[in-house]
Amino acid sequence: MGRKKALTKEDVFKATREILMKEGLHGVHFKKLASKLDVGRSTLYEYFENKDDLLLAYMKTLMDEMNEKVEKIPSQIPPNEKLYELLKIILTHAQIHQIDQMIRELQSSNKQMASFFRDELHVDLMKTYDLMIQWIEEAMERELWSREMDSNLIGDLLFHSILLPSRNKIGVEELASQLFSMIENGVSLKKK
Amino acid sequence: MGRKKALTKEDVFKATREILMKEGLHGVHFKKLASKLDVGRSTLYEYFENKDDLLLAYMKTLMDEMNEKVEKIPSQIPPNEKLYELLKIILTHAQIHQIDQMIRELQSSNKQMASFFRDELHVDLMKTYDLMIQWIEEAMERELWSREMDSNLIGDLLFHSILLPSRNKIGVEELASQLFSMIENGVSLKKK
Amino acid sequence: MGRKKALTKEDVFKATREILMKEGLHGVHFKKLASKLDVGRSTLYEYFENKDDLLLAYMKTLMDEMNEKVEKIPSQIPPNEKLYELLKIILTHAQIHQIDQMIRELQSSNKQMASFFRDELHVDLMKTYDLMIQWIEEAMERELWSREMDSNLIGDLLFHSILLPSRNKIGVEELASQLFSMIENGVSLKKK
Amino acid sequence: MGRKKALTKEDVFKATREILMKEGLHGVHFKKLASKLDVGRSTLYEYFENKDDLLLAYMKTLMDEMNEKVEKIPSQIPPNEKLYELLKIILTHAQIHQIDQMIRELQSSNKQMASFFRDELHVDLMKTYDLMIQWIEEAMERELWSREMDSNLIGDLLFHSILLPSRNKIGVEELASQLFSMIENGVSLKKK
DNA sequence: TATGAATGAGTGTTCATTCAT
DNA sequence: GATGAATGAACACTCATTCAT
């Protein structure tokens, strides 16, 4: 409380993230945001056209943040190592998994801006997903990984690993390591 | 006005399932249910005390359905084969994954019936989860599976595999087969 | 639509009082209040969290108003004269008698604020009631009044005299005077 | 539970009385009545046209019961003794005090039957009230009681004594005795 | 007589959104 | 920019009442 400096979009995003993590998508509404930020409810409309606009903009920042890290993965390392790096990035950006849910809920809204933005988001999301698939197939081509497995299945598995509750128990590093090891080598002790 | 063949709880569950799959938990409200079933909104209250009651009863039927199948898994087969059977069951009961989400959202409600029901549900859910963990550890004891992997991680992976969108693309049977193969043998072609 | 001079809590209390007197507790609902005040129903929720909150806040103002007057009764006058002053105050605050009823009806609500407020109200109500009993007993100790009568009965009689419909016919002053005279001297003409 | 014998109006009145005493007028509705009586809700409509009809009929039985006792008061005893008897009758028919409240709530209903019935009730209520006033004035004429007091005030006091909570504490007999003694002789120890 | 089934009207409550200052 | 005030649309829930069997 005690707002003096002008409100920024970043302030709003920060508050949004906090509510989202504590109470889920359902708990995010302008009344709560406004009181958390100690501004009038209507003030938020100076920054965002409507709720969808806010949520989509928030998600965009998440995506951008993540994409930035993904782009930093060195291009010369082997594809499976790239995928390991990607897995770690995905696991540290846990909020990402809410995007699916949000996009579904936003289906009902018809605003033009929103739908435009939504498409853009989807493109970003897909870009990363496609990159991942590309690396998987590269691993197969180089005969590092078996072709028996559907590459989309592996991709989905990596992408949805953010949902695993174990993340909270054993930590991101350990989870990434164990999970990736399992994907590569399996758990069976029988000789292949 | 046209009085028709008495509505049944099953009718309501069916409509609930449809909405749940199309629009998510958020989309389930009595207005929509009522219009879908072509009855008055208040009619639903003759069958269910309140919204929580409806949702929990619905989830209970899902759990019961699934538990029944789980109990039919033969006890004499090796634990990893049991786990494969379990995986297939979990994948065919895709709605199950909504239970976690629902339970969390229902935390806020204080109705006695609901909280009683909620606990019961949780117990059922946990029973299956614990059984799964037990089988995993049995597989490790019998030296079928490696101990390097956290058993909870494997469990979570199996349990959350319902979320994988590939299910719709390649079908339950194929998904189960590929996923389980990957869990056991991994995708790497390098010799261990 | 016509935006007017900001609504105040006092406006709402005034409307509440009017409805309460005309139609009783049962007649107070947000729809009626809103239409009486010529605002939207939801506007009231900007001022009061919920119905209980409104009713309890309203009662609190009544209690405060009355308690303030009670505290002004001079302490040096004899107890029976104090009681006469108290009777007059009670009779001019006719709405007070609704508090008992309301408190009973509000038992069913579980809101925290409400229950907190309710307790506070009850304490205020009891404070005045206890003060009254104390004065009655003082009157007995000083041998102004007979001990034959249960002091709680006298207290209840004074407290519930607000319910006497005669108040409207003969006016507060006259009612207080006659009633108090009867309590002190009775109506019988036979010598004791 | 376990209804075999045909339902009677008396059964319904009994259940109504019980709910009324336990939960107040607000708690009386057909759903609760039906479940308490173990009959279908709609069955009640075979016995009473609507809710008002039921409540008014119930009140009528109360009035009849009371009037019957009032008529048994011997006519040869002095008026103040009659009034004492009347006070005891009133105090044992505590439910009577709900009539006022009910009548007020029923104002809103327009049904012809109801309004006819309501008037009849009022007449009965008034009959007793008028009788009481008549006795009070007789007591004044015979110079048993002082004329200083408004006879309506005395009447109201007797009539509304049912509301005194002390009734539960010290019992009807004692309450009647103390109250009547106070009305006749007052509490003051000063010589008149 | 009895009832199962259905319902409409009404009430409490939430929340995104608008608008004048 | 900022905000206080107001609001409408939507949803949960209750209850008296009707109607076909």
Side-chain angles (χ1 to χ4, degrees), chain B residues 6-18 37 47-48 54 58 61:
Chain B
L7 186 68
T8 67
K9 287 199 173 194
E10 278 66 40
D11 294 335
V12 183
F13 288 153
K14 195 169 152 256
T16 303
R17 164 179 264 135
E18 284 167 19
L37 290 163
Y47 295 81
F48 302 95
L54 161 63
Y58 167 68
T61 66

Side-chain angles (χ1 to χ4, degrees), chain C residues 77-126:
Chain C
I77 62 175
N80 53 340
E81 287 180 29
K82 281 183 195 160
L83 286 162
Y84 182 49
E85 295 307 314
L86 180 57
L87 177 59
K88 284 193 289 188
I89 292 170
I90 289 174
L91 288 174
T92 49
H93 285 265
Q95 299 86 354
I96 291 295
H97 94 272
Q98 295 165 329
I99 290 185
D100 248 13
Q101 191 190 347
M102 287 192 210
I103 285 181
R104 225 169 288 138
E105 296 218 3
L106 292 172
Q107 300 296 8
S108 46
S109 92
N110 284 321
K111 321 283 165 90
Q112 298 198 330
M113 268 300 284
S115 83
F116 168 77
F117 218 164
R118 181 164 61 231
D119 293 344
E120 211 185 323
L121 259 187
H122 217 228
V123 165
D124 275 357
L125 198 58
M126 277 300 113

Side-chain angles (χ1 to χ4, degrees), chain A residues 2 15 26 37 42 69-70 74 76 83 89 100 107-108 110-111 115-116 154 158 174 188:
Chain A
H26 199 75
L37 290 163
S42 46
K69 287 196 193 164
V70 170
Q76 67 279 15
L83 286 162
I89 293 170
D100 247 14
Q107 302 294 10
S108 48
N110 286 319
K111 318 288 163 87
S115 82
F116 167 77
I154 304 178
L158 289 171
E174 184 62 20
S188 174

Side-chain angles (χ1 to χ4, degrees), chain A residues 4-41:
Chain A
K4 326 128 210 207
K5 297 293 156 200
L7 186 67
T8 66
K9 286 200 173 193
E10 279 64 41
D11 294 335
V12 183
F13 290 151
K14 191 167 156 258
T16 303
R17 163 179 264 135
E18 283 169 17
I19 296 176
L20 219 37
M21 299 194 69
K22 231 185 290 172
E23 318 183 38
L25 182 55
H26 199 75
V28 180
H29 45 248
F30 276 34
K31 202 174 187 177
K32 192 173 288 167
L33 268 174
S35 92
K36 200 179 183 76
L37 290 163
D38 200 29
V39 294
R41 232 179 309 171

Side-chain angles (χ1 to χ4, degrees), chain A residues 120-136:
Chain A
E120 211 184 324
L121 252 190
H122 220 228
V123 166
D124 274 358
L125 199 57
M126 277 300 114
K127 211 190 301 173
T128 301
Y129 186 84
D130 288 346
L131 193 63
M132 184 173 65
I133 297 296
Q134 197 182 306
W135 288 341
I136 293 172

Side-chain angles (χ1 to χ4, degrees), chain B residues 152-166:
Chain B
N152 277 303
L153 172 54
I154 305 178
D156 288 348
L157 195 62
L158 289 170
F159 214 72
H160 283 80
S161 58
I162 355 175
L163 293 175
L164 299 178
S166 329

